[in-house]
Amino acid sequence: MTTLVPRTDTLTKDALAVLQPGFTGTRAPAWLLRRLEQGLASVGVFGRNVETPGQLAALTAELRAVRPDLLVAIDEEGGDVTRLEARTGSSFPGNLALGRVDDPDLTRAVAHELGRRLAACGVNFNWAPSADVNSDPGNPVIGVRSFGDEPGLVARHTVAYVEGLQAAGVAACVKHFPGHGDTAVDSHHALPRVDADLDTLRARELVPFRAAVKAGTKGVMSAHILLPALDAALPGTLSPAALGGLLRAPASEGGLGYEGLIVTDGIDMRAIAGTYGMEHGTVLAIAAGADAICVGGGPSDEDTVLRLRDALVRAVRDGELPEERLADAAARVRDLARWTREAAAGPDGPADEEVGLRAARRALTVTRSADRTPYTPPSPERPPFVAAFTPLANIAVGDLTPWGVAAELERLLPGTGTATYGAVEAAEDGTSALVANVLAAASDRRIVAVVRDVHRHYWMADALDTLLAARPDTVVVEMGVPQAQPSGALHLATHGAARVCGRA
């Protein structure tokens, strides 16, 4: 690859500084260490980089041996979206469970313990929490990642989360500005469009972000969504009206008055990469007011970093991007890195290892059948059969992180049976055949039907209705956003599918 300018050039250093790339492996690749020496100021850590807390701590130490003032970012929301515990499932319930409890002190304690564990691993910037108001229950990408559907509730828990995380020395990054909760499309795959007017936006989506800015959040992540009422041409990540205007403008001018770091959602997501291309999208985002470019959930190699660096340098040389704007963005990245170093030297507080389980238990909702049929728990002599009705996970959640209740039931009641059923089986054989397989496998055992967002999946709803007609003694566990009337002899709503929710 041909380098456009000398590696020590200030412009090139600034172009590297605004990138937050991912990489592969559980050790630092040689190319990444070279680019840190040349000006790269941030990296993103994903599930593929994490085996154990000790291994992650060693990895971040290896990186900081080259650049002590490094921002190490992670997408660690807890709940369904975990990178720190991607192999086992999270020890913390997600936002919907915390919103269900509606105890800001508990949310603050959960975020603080999560932040404490991240800091111990050398991670100092968390792309969390989600401040989206889940106004559309059919939303394919937010769901349990939101604190709820009421702006005031979402705002107070967003603030509590920011305070708890930052008290542990980890910078928070509220997302996805100006609000991803009313979308019907996942921006990992395409560009969503939200047709809400500005009055609705201010009264609903912006309420949590305004509160987070006032609370001192160190980061805000932009959303790849088109809001014609705000900008009819460009999605939020690329829109000067959204970033340089609405987010940065003072309150006297109708803005939020935010002065901290703005980072984009993954620039490699199809909403941007598939419409503008990663290079052009990167240039447009920085020009619009973003300060850092998240990249690497997909492409995570040196060539990607160099292509984006050179696109920024070329845009400055060609007059497409003001050099002052790039320098300002790079300075904000370095300023945040400086804050994290100072915060890490301050007081932290004691560990609270069980706060996640306490929160998950408080979030649990248990409903007995309406006809008051006596419920008898399964006995060790007749352990239950778990039928997990499993939808395809969105990319943010990932499809490798364990979820459900089977592992915990097996621990408590050895001999518990389990099987997984999905949309493919339902489409190929029909839901009647799917349920027949469940009934045959369960024999005379109590059935535990585990569902996830049953209101969003017609095949799942049909299979559950058919199963309950045949076996009304079935226990139903809803691990997504509960919508339908509670059903089954016993109905448990966990408000999330994290491992700790199954344990609760």
PDB file of all heavy atoms in Angstrom, residues 30 45 105 129 151 171 200 213 237 280 291 321 325 351 382 385 415-416 436 500:
ATOM      1  N   ALA A  30       1.171  -7.157  15.471  1.00  0.00           N
ATOM      2  CA  ALA A  30       2.317  -6.257  15.269  1.00  0.00           C
ATOM      3  C   ALA A  30       1.897  -4.971  14.574  1.00  0.00           C
ATOM      4  O   ALA A  30       2.390  -3.884  14.899  1.00  0.00           O
ATOM      5  CB  ALA A  30       3.406  -6.984  14.471  1.00  0.00           C
ATOM      6  N   VAL A  45     -12.314  -3.146  21.572  1.00  0.00           N
ATOM      7  CA  VAL A  45     -12.208  -4.546  21.972  1.00  0.00           C
ATOM      8  C   VAL A  45     -13.569  -5.208  21.784  1.00  0.00           C
ATOM      9  O   VAL A  45     -14.595  -4.665  22.212  1.00  0.00           O
ATOM     10  CB  VAL A  45     -11.752  -4.659  23.446  1.00  0.00           C
ATOM     11  CG1 VAL A  45     -11.829  -6.099  23.924  1.00  0.00           C
ATOM     12  CG2 VAL A  45     -10.336  -4.128  23.594  1.00  0.00           C
ATOM     13  N   ASP A 105     -30.769   3.947  42.147  1.00  0.00           N
ATOM     14  CA  ASP A 105     -29.610   3.583  42.966  1.00  0.00           C
ATOM     15  C   ASP A 105     -29.095   2.195  42.581  1.00  0.00           C
ATOM     16  O   ASP A 105     -27.877   1.951  42.571  1.00  0.00           O
ATOM     17  CB  ASP A 105     -29.972   3.609  44.452  1.00  0.00           C
ATOM     18  CG  ASP A 105     -30.157   5.020  44.986  1.00  0.00           C
ATOM     19  OD1 ASP A 105     -29.617   5.966  44.366  1.00  0.00           O
ATOM     20  OD2 ASP A 105     -30.842   5.191  46.012  1.00  0.00           O
ATOM     21  N   PRO A 129     -24.332   3.586  28.073  1.00  0.00           N
ATOM     22  CA  PRO A 129     -25.515   2.752  27.874  1.00  0.00           C
ATOM     23  C   PRO A 129     -26.346   3.188  26.666  1.00  0.00           C
ATOM     24  O   PRO A 129     -26.154   4.287  26.137  1.00  0.00           O
ATOM     25  CB  PRO A 129     -26.314   3.012  29.150  1.00  0.00           C
ATOM     26  CG  PRO A 129     -26.041   4.470  29.433  1.00  0.00           C
ATOM     27  CD  PRO A 129     -24.591   4.674  29.061  1.00  0.00           C
ATOM     28  N   PRO A 151     -39.994   8.214  28.279  1.00  0.00           N
ATOM     29  CA  PRO A 151     -38.783   9.039  28.240  1.00  0.00           C
ATOM     30  C   PRO A 151     -38.217   9.401  29.609  1.00  0.00           C
ATOM     31  O   PRO A 151     -36.992   9.371  29.807  1.00  0.00           O
ATOM     32  CB  PRO A 151     -39.235  10.293  27.479  1.00  0.00           C
ATOM     33  CG  PRO A 151     -40.372   9.826  26.625  1.00  0.00           C
ATOM     34  CD  PRO A 151     -41.073   8.783  27.436  1.00  0.00           C
ATOM     35  N   ALA A 171     -15.188   5.962  31.060  1.00  0.00           N
ATOM     36  CA  ALA A 171     -16.011   6.950  30.370  1.00  0.00           C
ATOM     37  C   ALA A 171     -17.232   6.288  29.758  1.00  0.00           C
ATOM     38  O   ALA A 171     -17.129   5.247  29.097  1.00  0.00           O
ATOM     39  CB  ALA A 171     -15.198   7.657  29.284  1.00  0.00           C
ATOM     40  N   THR A 200     -42.001  15.772  18.419  1.00  0.00           N
ATOM     41  CA  THR A 200     -41.976  14.425  18.981  1.00  0.00           C
ATOM     42  C   THR A 200     -40.565  14.038  19.385  1.00  0.00           C
ATOM     43  O   THR A 200     -40.331  13.464  20.453  1.00  0.00           O
ATOM     44  CB  THR A 200     -42.526  13.407  17.966  1.00  0.00           C
ATOM     45  OG1 THR A 200     -43.878  13.747  17.648  1.00  0.00           O
ATOM     46  CG2 THR A 200     -42.472  11.993  18.511  1.00  0.00           C
ATOM     47  N   VAL A 213     -26.294  14.543  28.945  1.00  0.00           N
ATOM     48  CA  VAL A 213     -25.376  15.668  28.727  1.00  0.00           C
ATOM     49  C   VAL A 213     -25.263  16.494  30.002  1.00  0.00           C
ATOM     50  O   VAL A 213     -24.167  16.862  30.445  1.00  0.00           O
ATOM     51  CB  VAL A 213     -25.839  16.528  27.542  1.00  0.00           C
ATOM     52  CG1 VAL A 213     -25.060  17.839  27.484  1.00  0.00           C
ATOM     53  CG2 VAL A 213     -25.681  15.759  26.232  1.00  0.00           C
ATOM     54  N   THR A 237     -25.383  10.188  11.680  1.00  0.00           N
ATOM     55  CA  THR A 237     -23.927  10.092  11.784  1.00  0.00           C
ATOM     56  C   THR A 237     -23.216  11.045  10.831  1.00  0.00           C
ATOM     57  O   THR A 237     -22.115  11.515  11.127  1.00  0.00           O
ATOM     58  CB  THR A 237     -23.489   8.641  11.505  1.00  0.00           C
ATOM     59  OG1 THR A 237     -23.911   7.826  12.603  1.00  0.00           O
ATOM     60  CG2 THR A 237     -21.987   8.510  11.343  1.00  0.00           C
ATOM     61  N   HIS A 280     -15.673   7.331   2.392  1.00  0.00           N
ATOM     62  CA  HIS A 280     -16.423   8.586   2.238  1.00  0.00           C
ATOM     63  C   HIS A 280     -17.284   8.842   3.473  1.00  0.00           C
ATOM     64  O   HIS A 280     -17.408   9.991   3.924  1.00  0.00           O
ATOM     65  CB  HIS A 280     -17.292   8.510   0.982  1.00  0.00           C
ATOM     66  CG  HIS A 280     -17.931   9.811   0.607  1.00  0.00           C
ATOM     67  ND1 HIS A 280     -17.257  11.020   0.610  1.00  0.00           N
ATOM     68  CD2 HIS A 280     -19.215  10.102   0.218  1.00  0.00           C
ATOM     69  CE1 HIS A 280     -18.084  11.996   0.246  1.00  0.00           C
ATOM     70  NE2 HIS A 280     -19.270  11.463   0.013  1.00  0.00           N
ATOM     71  N   ASP A 291     -16.107  13.033  16.272  1.00  0.00           N
ATOM     72  CA  ASP A 291     -14.706  13.142  16.667  1.00  0.00           C
ATOM     73  C   ASP A 291     -13.967  11.816  16.564  1.00  0.00           C
ATOM     74  O   ASP A 291     -12.739  11.802  16.543  1.00  0.00           O
ATOM     75  CB  ASP A 291     -14.609  13.624  18.121  1.00  0.00           C
ATOM     76  CG  ASP A 291     -15.357  14.925  18.340  1.00  0.00           C
ATOM     77  OD1 ASP A 291     -15.063  15.905  17.626  1.00  0.00           O
ATOM     78  OD2 ASP A 291     -16.250  14.962  19.208  1.00  0.00           O
ATOM     79  N   LEU A 321     -12.425  18.498   3.683  1.00  0.00           N
ATOM     80  CA  LEU A 321     -12.504  18.474   5.142  1.00  0.00           C
ATOM     81  C   LEU A 321     -11.545  19.513   5.706  1.00  0.00           C
ATOM     82  O   LEU A 321     -10.337  19.444   5.461  1.00  0.00           O
ATOM     83  CB  LEU A 321     -12.125  17.074   5.654  1.00  0.00           C
ATOM     84  CG  LEU A 321     -12.007  16.898   7.171  1.00  0.00           C
ATOM     85  CD1 LEU A 321     -13.373  17.080   7.839  1.00  0.00           C
ATOM     86  CD2 LEU A 321     -11.428  15.523   7.507  1.00  0.00           C
ATOM     87  N   ARG A 325     -11.017  21.117  11.653  1.00  0.00           N
ATOM     88  CA  ARG A 325     -12.042  20.201  12.157  1.00  0.00           C
ATOM     89  C   ARG A 325     -11.420  18.862  12.539  1.00  0.00           C
ATOM     90  O   ARG A 325     -11.739  18.280  13.578  1.00  0.00           O
ATOM     91  CB  ARG A 325     -13.124  20.006  11.070  1.00  0.00           C
ATOM     92  CG  ARG A 325     -14.149  18.887  11.340  1.00  0.00           C
ATOM     93  CD  ARG A 325     -15.218  19.270  12.346  1.00  0.00           C
ATOM     94  NE  ARG A 325     -14.837  19.070  13.712  1.00  0.00           N
ATOM     95  CZ  ARG A 325     -15.007  17.944  14.419  1.00  0.00           C
ATOM     96  NH1 ARG A 325     -15.560  16.895  13.866  1.00  0.00           N
ATOM     97  NH2 ARG A 325     -14.623  17.886  15.666  1.00  0.00           N
ATOM     98  N   ALA A 351     -15.917  -3.858  45.790  1.00  0.00           N
ATOM     99  CA  ALA A 351     -16.610  -4.704  44.828  1.00  0.00           C
ATOM    100  C   ALA A 351     -17.977  -5.089  45.380  1.00  0.00           C
ATOM    101  O   ALA A 351     -18.195  -5.154  46.582  1.00  0.00           O
ATOM    102  CB  ALA A 351     -15.780  -5.958  44.557  1.00  0.00           C
ATOM    103  N   ARG A 382     -38.315 -36.375  38.398  1.00  0.00           N
ATOM    104  CA  ARG A 382     -38.863 -36.096  37.065  1.00  0.00           C
ATOM    105  C   ARG A 382     -38.421 -34.704  36.627  1.00  0.00           C
ATOM    106  O   ARG A 382     -39.197 -33.756  36.629  1.00  0.00           O
ATOM    107  CB  ARG A 382     -40.389 -36.179  37.090  1.00  0.00           C
ATOM    108  CG  ARG A 382     -40.922 -37.595  37.321  1.00  0.00           C
ATOM    109  CD  ARG A 382     -42.438 -37.565  37.419  1.00  0.00           C
ATOM    110  NE  ARG A 382     -43.038 -37.026  36.206  1.00  0.00           N
ATOM    111  CZ  ARG A 382     -44.284 -36.534  36.150  1.00  0.00           C
ATOM    112  NH1 ARG A 382     -45.036 -36.508  37.244  1.00  0.00           N
ATOM    113  NH2 ARG A 382     -44.774 -36.073  35.019  1.00  0.00           N
ATOM    114  N   PHE A 385     -38.276 -30.667  30.930  1.00  0.00           N
ATOM    115  CA  PHE A 385     -37.747 -30.596  29.567  1.00  0.00           C
ATOM    116  C   PHE A 385     -37.858 -29.147  29.103  1.00  0.00           C
ATOM    117  O   PHE A 385     -38.932 -28.552  29.144  1.00  0.00           O
ATOM    118  CB  PHE A 385     -38.525 -31.499  28.617  1.00  0.00           C
ATOM    119  CG  PHE A 385     -38.034 -31.413  27.188  1.00  0.00           C
ATOM    120  CD1 PHE A 385     -36.928 -32.135  26.781  1.00  0.00           C
ATOM    121  CD2 PHE A 385     -38.674 -30.593  26.258  1.00  0.00           C
ATOM    122  CE1 PHE A 385     -36.463 -32.053  25.469  1.00  0.00           C
ATOM    123  CE2 PHE A 385     -38.215 -30.500  24.960  1.00  0.00           C
ATOM    124  CZ  PHE A 385     -37.100 -31.233  24.563  1.00  0.00           C
ATOM    125  N   GLY A 415     -30.296 -34.043  34.812  1.00  0.00           N
ATOM    126  CA  GLY A 415     -31.180 -34.847  33.987  1.00  0.00           C
ATOM    127  C   GLY A 415     -32.190 -34.023  33.214  1.00  0.00           C
ATOM    128  O   GLY A 415     -32.966 -34.564  32.416  1.00  0.00           O
ATOM    129  N   THR A 416     -32.185 -32.703  33.450  1.00  0.00           N
ATOM    130  CA  THR A 416     -33.058 -31.821  32.677  1.00  0.00           C
ATOM    131  C   THR A 416     -32.759 -31.986  31.189  1.00  0.00           C
ATOM    132  O   THR A 416     -31.605 -31.959  30.765  1.00  0.00           O
ATOM    133  CB  THR A 416     -32.842 -30.349  33.101  1.00  0.00           C
ATOM    134  OG1 THR A 416     -33.282 -30.184  34.448  1.00  0.00           O
ATOM    135  CG2 THR A 416     -33.608 -29.401  32.196  1.00  0.00           C
ATOM    136  N   ALA A 436     -45.122 -31.176  17.933  1.00  0.00           N
ATOM    137  CA  ALA A 436     -45.174 -32.638  18.095  1.00  0.00           C
ATOM    138  C   ALA A 436     -43.817 -33.168  18.541  1.00  0.00           C
ATOM    139  O   ALA A 436     -43.737 -34.086  19.379  1.00  0.00           O
ATOM    140  CB  ALA A 436     -45.605 -33.295  16.788  1.00  0.00           C
ATOM    141  N   VAL A 500     -27.404 -14.162  33.899  1.00  0.00           N
ATOM    142  CA  VAL A 500     -27.860 -13.875  35.257  1.00  0.00           C
ATOM    143  C   VAL A 500     -29.382 -13.873  35.342  1.00  0.00           C
ATOM    144  O   VAL A 500     -29.964 -14.189  36.387  1.00  0.00           O
ATOM    145  CB  VAL A 500     -27.275 -12.539  35.763  1.00  0.00           C
ATOM    146  CG1 VAL A 500     -27.948 -11.335  35.109  1.00  0.00           C
ATOM    147  CG2 VAL A 500     -27.354 -12.444  37.272  1.00  0.00           C
TER     148      VAL A 500
END
